Amino acid sequence: MSAHTVDGPAESARRRVVVGVAGGIAAYKSCALIRALTESGHQVRVVPTESALEFVGRATFEALSGNPVHTGVFTDVPQVPHVRLGQEADLVVVAPATADLMARAATGRADDLLTATLLTARCPVMFVPAMHTEMWEHPATVENVATLRRRGNVVVEPASGRLTGKDTGAGRLPEPDEIFALAALLLERADALPRDLEGRRLVISAGGTREPLDPVRFLGNRSSGKQGYALARLAAQRGADVTLVAGAVAGLDDPAAVDVVRVQTAAQMGDAVTALAAGADAVIMSAAVADFRPTTLAASKIKKGAGEPDTIPLTKNDDILAGLVKARAEGDLAADTAIVGFAAETGDEQGDVLTYAREKLARKGCDLLVVNAVGDGKAFEVDNNDGWLLSADGSETALAHGSKALMASRVLDALRPLLPPAG
Ligand code: CTP
């Protein structure tokens, strides 16, 4: 797992999180989630089911959370834990949530401490399923998931990939980093994960491009891809069908339930995005695309030589975003495809960040422009961000400082009304 805020949040941001653990092999991954939550300063109570303790011992959960761990309702009776834990929680995360646990939750059972806690919780509740594909796709589970979602719970889309043994398919627990990001988002904003993008197809670009100079060198930039990955992750968890076109990123895991297409250069990114845009309801260009590439690619490594270095001639890359807007205007792309751009601006003596951003929105002709002030350690390679959202209709919204996930949730909120009706 990557490092989380070492100092933890301020006292006001310290929250009570119940981590429920059901009995599946992925229970071991809950340990990394518990650790990430406690390292972020939150108070964590772990409530496993009896069968979860077949996979991870009680002592591990107690040591990681710093709190006692029980499974039944008849321990510590004077404290009434089966009611108190749920009532006092700011968030309940069940990871992994097995088919059995979700069935019990959907029918309102309260036959152990975890299900009793789920019935008394009035805070956001997030189930993170993990099971074999057949179980995930079974009509009983499908109906239970729909019931839990209808009641306002978040049921995370599982990842695809290797399950226990040799089988692969949908049903894998998302990586602990990803579960942590979604949990942290719900603590920042309780209503950040509605299922309001079901049936929508989104293409999202992320990361930086690399323009090769010779077999070992390239021109690149400092984009980490975190903002684009946060957008893709959230859009998928809000029900969208997402393809992420990823350039160079800082060691990020693929978000669960997202198709990832990898590219290196601006030209490759342009080809991939343009081809995918044809079937999309929206394209979000959050990638940092290189404006220029070396005019020639040396077939072998350029040697240092004795004299001064040669200058590197550059050629302008096509502007992918502007190309999409033009294709839409010319009828090569559906007229109702929503197009979102990003602007990374530093401002200078001639103009501030917003002045340049307004010019960029007008120049690029997209529907929404997400504006970040960059430089001085802002926006690139960091976890938090702020900025503005400029709309083609002239509205301007400040995006308050917060995680890139929070920023992504605001961008998707603004995008949703621009999407064509679900077909
Ligand atoms: N963009 C693109 N193709 C390029 C360059 C940029 O699609 N060749 C997109 C980016 O993905 C982003 C938006 O255009 O959504 C703005 O990128 P930015 O680098 O801020 O703008 P530029 O057009 O490069 O303008 P400048 O560098 O002059 O600020």
Side-chain angles (χ1 to χ4, degrees):
M1 295 213 36
S2 59
H4 298 286
T5 325
V6 177
D7 298 335
E11 199 53 38
S12 59
R14 268 176 69 91
R15 313 293 284 281
R16 288 178 223 237
V17 182
V18 171
V19 177
V21 184
I25 178 65
Y28 76 93
K29 288 192 183 174
S30 68
C31 297
L33 171 67
I34 296 160
R35 181 162 210 124
L37 288 164
T38 53
E39 278 182 359
S40 299
H42 302 304
Q43 277 178 47
V44 177
R45 287 296 301 259
V46 183
V47 184
T49 60
E50 266 301 313
S51 33
L53 295 182
E54 298 282 334
F55 295 95
V56 180
R58 186 189 306 267
T60 303
F61 289 139
E62 290 190 335
L64 286 172
S65 66
N67 278 310
V69 167
H70 307 300
T71 58
V73 295
F74 295 111
T75 320
D76 274 349
V77 172
Q79 311 283 329
V80 211
H82 71 287
V83 177
R84 246 197 42 235
L85 280 176
Q87 280 176 337
E88 294 178 357
D90 295 305
L91 174 70
V92 179
V93 183
V94 186
T98 55
D100 177 68
L101 186 280
M102 289 194 292
R104 289 196 289 137
T107 48
R109 297 280 293 268
D111 43 7
D112 60 7
L113 186 56
L114 177 53
T115 45
T117 301
L118 289 168
L119 277 187
T120 52
R122 292 295 175 268
C123 59
V125 174
M126 179 168 92
F127 295 87
V128 192
M131 66 196 73
H132 273 78
T133 309
E134 291 82 351
M135 293 176 113
W136 174 246
E137 291 174 349
H138 193 283
T141 307
V142 170
E143 277 177 33
N144 289 331
V145 167
T147 301
L148 291 170
R149 283 181 176 153
R150 201 174 53 247
R151 290 185 192 141
N153 301 286
V154 174
V155 181
V156 169
E157 290 293 337
S160 290
R162 192 140 161 246
L163 305 166
T164 345
K166 289 196 193 114
D167 17 0
T168 59
R172 208 179 125 94
L173 191 80
E175 291 308 312
D177 261 343
E178 179 155 30
I179 304 171
F180 174 78
L182 294 170
L185 175 64
L186 288 176
L187 286 171
E188 275 181 295
R189 189 184 162 200
D191 62 347
L193 293 170
R195 296 285 298 180
D196 60 350
L197 297 177
E198 276 179 3
R200 309 315 184 93
R201 283 168 301 171
L202 266 56
V203 175
I204 299 174
S205 70
T209 58
R210 291 180 168 181
E211 310 300 321
L213 183 57
D214 70 12
V216 294
R217 302 183 180 95
F218 57 82
L219 299 184
N221 61 63
R222 295 178 59 186
S223 171
S224 63
K226 285 181 179 174
Q227 185 63 69
Y229 271 55
L231 275 162
R233 167 177 304 125
L234 256 65
Q237 294 303 344
R238 284 168 75 152
D241 179 349
V242 182
T243 307
L244 175 63
V245 180
V249 298
L252 304 176
D253 290 321
D254 289 356
V258 168
D259 284 329
V260 182
V261 175
R262 275 172 222 293
V263 297
Q264 288 278 326
T265 65
Q268 290 166 356
M269 183 167 277
D271 289 347
V273 168
T274 310
L276 289 161
D281 295 309
V283 182
I284 306 180
M285 282 298 300
S286 63
V289 186
D291 291 327
F292 305 100
R293 63 179 181 275
T295 304
T296 52
L297 169 58
S300 50
K301 188 181 170 197
I302 300 168
K303 303 304 281 179
K304 181 160 56 195
E308 288 303 304
D310 289 338
T311 52
I312 302 169
L314 298 174
T315 300
K316 214 170 199 174
N317 284 326
D318 288 340
D319 187 317
I320 305 167
L321 183 65
L324 292 170
V325 171
K326 183 161 175 275
R328 182 174 66 177
E330 292 173 354
D332 294 330
L333 203 58
D336 53 6
T337 315
I339 302 175
V340 181
F342 269 67
E345 301 290 345
T346 58
D348 58 23
E349 312 76 52
Q350 267 83 53
D352 65 5
V353 170
L354 267 180
T355 311
Y356 281 118
R358 287 179 191 124
E359 281 170 21
K360 191 166 284 182
L361 176 65
R363 194 169 69 241
K364 302 253 182 181
C366 51
D367 305 305
L368 276 178
L369 189 72
V370 186
V371 185
N372 294 135
V374 294
D376 295 335
K378 278 180 163 171
F380 284 128
E381 297 167 323
V382 294
D383 290 324
N384 288 324
N385 220 350
D386 53 48
W388 294 267
L389 207 49
L390 307 190
S391 171
D393 68 10
S395 64
E396 298 186 355
T397 315
L399 295 168
H401 192 75
S403 68
K404 289 188 174 177
L406 183 67
M407 183 114 166
S409 76
R410 301 281 184 216
V411 173
L412 294 177
D413 288 350
L415 173 64
R416 213 193 74 83
L418 305 181
L419 295 175

